């Protein structure tokens, strides 16, 4: 049956307050603070709403249902209060998965007790009607299940929240201390009322006004939000956004004292706690003294300053923006640290690539210049000799033989140059395949020596070979033949007539060291420094007018490197030259077993 009860009016008024406050903050639902407040408000609404209906509509069949929803509202209100307290005291780190499971115990147990209550009376042991001042109201005796889910678990969480608030009061400044104290007092209202009701001290006869106290608690929290600007929407939203930034943000006052920073800055500068206020910048940046020096030297006239700060091989773009009041007086500064490492690395890579491209272009241009110059001379000689032979075929046979020999020499020079250029081109374009195998070193050397036997006889030069017949190397024999061919060719060009060329191999343990030594004109120090460098101009003339351009040695260095060795040269500029290169005895994987 329906009846009018003054307490139901008070409960419905509390319900309306909760509803209005909930609608006020729901527009900012994406903020964690608002989500937790809504859980608290929703729990208080369910608590007061069903309690009011229970007084307005007397029904023996629905009474237990109303009481069940009431207890569910109590569980959610308590859960919301715990979350709100954690958010207010800046203890978000406590919200781990294990904590959420523990926090969900009370709502789940309350739901189980309420579902089983119609059968086993787990929530209320007994319930009956009484008449107080002409109005009917319910009286119920709480069972052990209802006591545990409503009083015992709530008391446990109340102690937890009280500890958080008391710690906040101890560590915080005056404004935050008053805010935490107000929330703690609002939480005590509920427990004082509940305990007084349990021992029989009731302002309204037979009535439990704890539900009304929960609404007063919500009102006090919103008062704290408004009075102490805990929920000034614009700063709060900005604070949420700044905390989510990947950039580190640090705020300083006009005396260079750090007043606030976000979580990224906390990690960057290894700050343990945010409860310290007005921290001197020398302490905050104690692990980065160069920042302290830079901040002390910043110009007061420049509104924005930018520079690069390096720490632990990482680069940070620092932006310092001065904050001024309406009178253009400096009141603080905002520092933003943006990780610029990846961009800097990309810039370095681009610079390296550009240098390589410039070097490649310079090498190409130099090679074109060398080719055009070196091919012009031999080809002009061939042209002239052919013209002479064509015009005068009646000259003496010895003169004809001399011209023929000159023609052969010029042709061989052009052929050698073109062959080296071809090999170099294939190597640079990645078309020169590396096919290593185990080879006899003496066989490679003998094959190359035989190629130059005629040229050596013409200059009266003899070869002295000292290559052990057991010398085995792991290499691409085609490449090493090219290396030996070029070294022997150069040695012949610059050797004096009737001299010798020494070729030997020395066992160094893991490698064979092959050397080619001539006793000719040698090379100057400046020429030696240009060897093996692409794009360098190397002009040299042999003992019988043979020409050299250095391309062959550059190709030799590349081939030796590909085969796992190194090529070096030495000369005193008077007594000939010595070129040495190493080749591994075994495959690389086998060498390091």
């Amino acid at each position: 049956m329906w009846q009018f009860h003054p307490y139901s009016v008070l409960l419905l008024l509390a319900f309306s307050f909760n509803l209005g406050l909930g609608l006020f903050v729901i527009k900012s639902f994406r903020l964690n603070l608002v989500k937790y407040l809504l859980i608290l408000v929703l729990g208080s609404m369910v608590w007061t709403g069903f309690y009011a209906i229970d007084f307005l509509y007397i029904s023996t069949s629905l009474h237990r249902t109303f009481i069940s929803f009431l207890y569910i509202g109590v569980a959610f209100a308590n859960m919301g209060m715990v979350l709100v307290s954690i958010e207010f005291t800046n203890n978000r780190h406590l919200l781990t998965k294990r904590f959420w499971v523990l926090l969900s115990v009370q709502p789940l147990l309350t739901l189980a007790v309420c579902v089983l209550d119609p059968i086993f009376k787990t929530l209320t042991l007994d319930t009956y009607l009484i008449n107080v001042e002409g109005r009917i109201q319910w009286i119920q005796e709480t069972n052990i299940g209802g006591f545990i889910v409503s009083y015992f678990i709530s008391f446990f969480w109340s102690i937890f929240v009280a500890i958080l608030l008391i710690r906040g009061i101890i560590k915080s400044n005056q404004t935050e201390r008053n805010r935490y104290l107000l929330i703690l007092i609002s939480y005590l209202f509920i427990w004082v009322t509940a305990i007084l009701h349990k021992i029989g001290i009731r302002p309204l006869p037979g009535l439990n006004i704890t539900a009304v106290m929960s609404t007063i608690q919500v009102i006090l929290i919103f008062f704290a939000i408004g009075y102490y600007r805990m929920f000034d929407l614009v700063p709060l939203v900005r604070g949420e956004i700044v905390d989510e930034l990947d950039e580190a943000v640090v705020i300083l006052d006009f005396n260079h004292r750090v007043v606030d920073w976000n979580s990224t800055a906390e990690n960057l500068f290894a700050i343990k706690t945010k409860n310290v206020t007005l921290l001197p910048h020398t302490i905050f940046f104690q692990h980065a003294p160069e920042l302290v020096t830079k901040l002390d030297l910043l110009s007061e006239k420049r509104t924005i300053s930018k520079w690069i700060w390096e720490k632990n091989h990482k680069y940070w773009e620092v932006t310092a923006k001065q904050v001024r009041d309406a009178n253009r007086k400096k009141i603080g500064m905002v520092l933003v640290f943006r990780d610029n490492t990846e961009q800097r690395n990309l810039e370095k890579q681009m610079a390296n690539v550009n240098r390589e491209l410039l070097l490649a272009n310079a090498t190409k241009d130099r090679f074109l210049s060398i080719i055009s110059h070196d091919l012009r001379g031999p080809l002009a000689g061939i042209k002239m000799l052919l013209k002479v032979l064509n015009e005068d075929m009646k000259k003496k046979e010895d003169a004809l033989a001399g011209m023929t020999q000159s023609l052969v020499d010029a042709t061989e020079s052009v052929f050698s140059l073109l062959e080296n250029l071809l090999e170099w081109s294939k190597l640079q374009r990645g078309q020169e395949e590396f096919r290593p195998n185990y080879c006899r070193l003496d066989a490679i050397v003998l094959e190359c020596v035989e190629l130059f036997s005629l040229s050596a006889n013409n200059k009266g030069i003899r070869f002295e070979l000292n290559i052990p017949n057991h010398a085995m190397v792991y290499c691409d024999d085609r490449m090493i033949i090219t290396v030996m061919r070029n070294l022997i060719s150069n040695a012949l060009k610059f050797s004096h007539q009737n001299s010798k060329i020494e070729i030997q191999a020395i066992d160094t343990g893991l490698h064979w060291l092959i050397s080619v030594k001539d006793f000719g004109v040698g090379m100057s120090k400046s020429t030696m420094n240009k060897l093996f460098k692409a794009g360098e101009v190397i002009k040299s003339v042999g003992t019988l007018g043979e020409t050299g351009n250095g391309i062959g040695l550059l190709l030799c260095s590349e081939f030796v490197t590909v085969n796992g060795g190194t090529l070096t040269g030495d000369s005193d500029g008077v007594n000939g030259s010595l070129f040495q290169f190493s080749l591994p005895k075994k495959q690389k994987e086998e060498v390091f077993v």
Side-chain angles (χ1 to χ4, degrees):
M1 68 175 185
W2 292 93
Q3 69 165 351
F4 171 77
H5 198 292
Y7 188 46
S8 64
V9 176
L10 184 61
L11 290 169
L12 287 175
L13 184 62
F15 174 86
S16 301
F17 269 112
N18 286 314
L19 179 62
L21 294 173
L23 293 176
F24 174 75
V25 298
I26 198 171
K27 60 184 179 180
S28 301
F29 182 74
R30 68 184 184 85
L31 300 178
N32 289 332
L33 176 62
V34 173
K35 295 175 184 177
Y36 302 153
L37 280 171
L38 288 177
I39 294 175
L40 172 61
V41 169
L42 178 63
S44 185
M45 285 174 56
V46 173
W47 188 355
T48 55
F50 280 96
Y51 209 176
I53 294 174
D54 194 42
F55 279 94
L56 287 174
Y57 185 68
I58 305 300
S59 171
T60 54
S61 59
L62 294 177
H63 172 65
R64 285 186 178 273
T65 303
F66 294 156
I67 295 300
S68 296
F69 278 106
L70 183 154
Y71 274 88
I72 291 174
V74 171
F76 275 98
N78 188 66
M79 181 179 182
M81 188 58 215
V82 173
L83 292 172
V84 166
S85 301
I86 289 175
E87 184 71 16
F88 281 171
T89 55
N90 295 318
N91 284 290
R92 297 180 192 173
H93 61 279
L94 297 176
L95 295 176
T96 61
K97 291 182 179 179
R98 183 178 299 177
F99 187 89
W100 278 106
V101 171
L102 191 61
L103 194 59
S104 303
V105 169
Q106 184 178 14
L108 294 176
L109 282 179
T110 303
L111 181 62
V113 168
C114 292
V115 170
L116 297 174
D117 182 63
I119 304 174
F120 303 104
K121 295 184 179 181
T122 52
L123 186 62
T124 54
L125 183 64
D126 189 18
T127 180
Y128 53 88
L129 292 168
I130 63 171
N131 192 300
V132 179
E133 298 179 357
R135 295 182 179 87
I136 299 172
Q137 61 190 48
W138 290 99
I139 299 295
Q140 57 267 343
E141 297 178 11
T142 305
N143 202 346
I144 186 66
F147 178 81
I148 291 175
V149 298
S150 180
Y151 286 92
F152 182 77
I153 298 180
S154 296
F155 181 76
F156 167 79
W157 285 118
S158 298
I159 296 298
F160 173 78
V161 170
I163 292 173
L164 291 182
L165 292 172
I166 292 172
R167 287 175 59 186
I169 291 172
I170 295 173
K171 293 184 178 181
S172 59
N173 56 31
Q174 185 63 40
T175 301
E176 289 181 329
R177 188 178 299 119
N178 293 337
R179 178 181 70 184
Y180 295 155
L181 186 60
L182 186 59
I183 297 172
L184 182 61
I185 292 173
S186 71
Y187 213 81
L188 292 175
F189 278 175
I190 297 179
W191 277 106
V192 171
T193 305
I195 292 172
L196 290 176
H197 176 80
K198 205 67 178 176
I199 64 178
I201 302 175
R202 301 165 185 172
L204 299 176
L207 299 178
N208 187 352
I209 63 172
T210 308
V212 177
M213 289 297 104
S214 74
T215 302
I216 293 178
Q217 178 193 37
V218 173
I219 294 173
L220 285 175
I221 291 174
F222 274 84
F223 172 78
I225 290 171
Y227 186 80
Y228 294 109
R229 302 188 68 81
M230 290 170 60
F231 190 60
D232 190 341
L233 187 60
V234 174
L236 186 61
V237 172
R238 284 180 178 172
E240 290 278 338
I241 293 174
V242 169
D243 266 336
E244 296 299 324
L245 288 175
D246 293 331
E247 290 85 0
V249 179
V250 180
I251 302 174
L252 295 84
D253 67 3
F254 61 94
N255 285 325
H256 279 182
R257 295 176 297 187
V258 179
V259 297
D260 199 9
W261 59 90
N262 65 354
S263 55
T264 307
E266 191 170 324
N267 296 329
L268 178 60
F269 296 106
I271 303 301
K272 301 298 182 182
T273 176
K274 291 190 71 171
N275 291 323
V276 180
T277 57
L278 299 179
L279 194 65
H281 72 303
T282 53
I283 297 177
F284 188 90
F285 300 118
Q286 58 184 326
H287 300 300
E290 64 277 9
L291 280 179
V292 176
T293 304
K294 183 68 177 180
L295 290 174
D296 292 339
L297 297 176
L298 283 180
S299 172
E300 294 289 334
K301 298 180 179 179
R302 298 187 62 178
T303 303
I304 297 179
S305 302
K306 291 186 178 182
W307 69 91
I308 298 297
W309 171 55
E310 183 180 359
K311 178 186 178 184
N312 297 332
H313 305 292
K314 297 188 72 174
Y315 296 91
W316 300 82
E317 182 184 68
V318 185
T319 301
K321 185 179 187 329
Q322 295 188 14
V323 182
R324 302 180 184 274
D325 60 13
N327 298 320
R328 301 300 297 166
K329 182 180 179 181
K330 179 183 175 182
I331 60 175
M333 181 186 300
V334 178
L335 298 177
V336 179
F337 298 81
R338 187 170 71 89
D339 190 348
N340 205 28
T341 306
E342 185 175 353
Q343 181 178 341
R344 294 272 297 194
N345 290 337
L346 288 175
E347 290 175 355
K348 287 182 179 180
Q349 291 177 9
M350 290 179 63
N352 291 334
V353 170
N354 286 335
R355 281 195 295 269
E356 291 176 0
L357 287 175
L358 291 173
L359 179 60
N361 284 332
T363 302
K364 178 197 67 175
D365 294 341
R366 185 64 62 190
F367 277 161
L368 289 175
S369 174
I370 293 172
I371 292 168
S372 61
H373 183 275
D374 286 5
L375 287 181
R376 183 182 296 112
L379 290 176
I382 293 172
K383 181 180 179 181
M384 182 178 296
L385 289 172
L386 289 175
K387 184 176 181 181
V388 171
L389 287 174
N390 186 51
E391 291 178 352
D392 191 1
M393 293 293 293
K394 297 179 179 180
K395 292 188 176 181
K396 297 180 180 179
E397 291 184 2
D398 54 349
L400 182 60
M403 285 187 288
T404 305
Q405 183 60 48
S406 298
L407 183 60
V408 170
D409 292 341
T411 306
E412 285 182 352
S413 177
V414 173
F415 180 78
S416 177
L417 175 61
L418 290 177
E419 193 173 39
N420 283 333
L421 288 174
L422 178 61
E423 294 289 344
W424 170 264
S425 175
K426 289 169 63 178
L427 184 63
Q428 295 301 309
R429 287 180 288 132
Q431 295 181 352
E432 184 68 36
E433 296 183 8
F434 179 53
R435 296 193 294 267
N437 206 339
Y438 289 100
C439 307
R440 288 187 58 175
L441 185 57
D442 60 344
I444 295 175
V445 174
L446 287 174
E447 181 180 342
C448 295
V449 169
E450 290 177 357
L451 292 175
F452 295 96
S453 59
L454 181 59
S455 300
N457 290 333
N458 290 335
K459 293 186 73 171
I461 296 174
R462 69 183 186 278
F463 290 103
E464 290 188 1
L465 307 181
N466 185 14
I467 310 294
N469 54 15
H470 65 276
M472 297 292 293
V473 290
Y474 185 77
C475 65
D476 186 328
D477 58 339
R478 299 172 303 108
M479 292 185 178
I480 302 306
I481 288 174
T482 301
V483 172
M484 288 299 303
R485 178 169 51 81
N486 274 278
L487 294 180
I488 294 174
S489 175
N490 288 341
L492 284 171
K493 286 180 185 178
F494 303 108
S495 290
H496 296 298
Q497 289 182 311
N498 301 318
S499 63
K500 64 178 180 178
I501 296 175
E502 295 179 353
I503 303 175
Q504 63 177 347
I506 301 174
D507 188 350
T508 62
L510 299 178
H511 297 78
W512 283 101
L513 182 64
I514 302 96
S515 62
V516 178
K517 178 176 178 58
D518 66 73
F519 297 86
V521 295
M523 283 182 284
S524 64
K525 291 295 182 183
S526 60
T527 302
M528 289 296 300
N529 292 333
K530 293 179 181 179
L531 295 180
F532 317 125
K533 293 182 180 179
E536 292 289 347
V537 178
I538 301 175
K539 284 298 177 184
S540 55
V541 180
T543 53
L544 293 180
E546 304 96 331
T547 60
N549 48 48
I551 295 178
L553 285 177
L554 194 60
L555 179 64
C556 291
S557 179
E558 294 278 359
F559 276 173
V560 170
T561 302
V562 169
N563 281 271
T566 54
L567 173 63
T568 59
D570 188 27
S571 176
D572 59 3
V574 178
N575 299 314
S577 303
L578 171 66
F579 286 89
Q580 294 178 315
F581 65 95
S582 59
L583 291 176
K585 292 182 177 181
K586 298 180 180 180
Q587 193 173 355
K588 187 175 182 181
E589 289 76 7
E590 298 179 20
V591 170
F592 296 100
V593 170

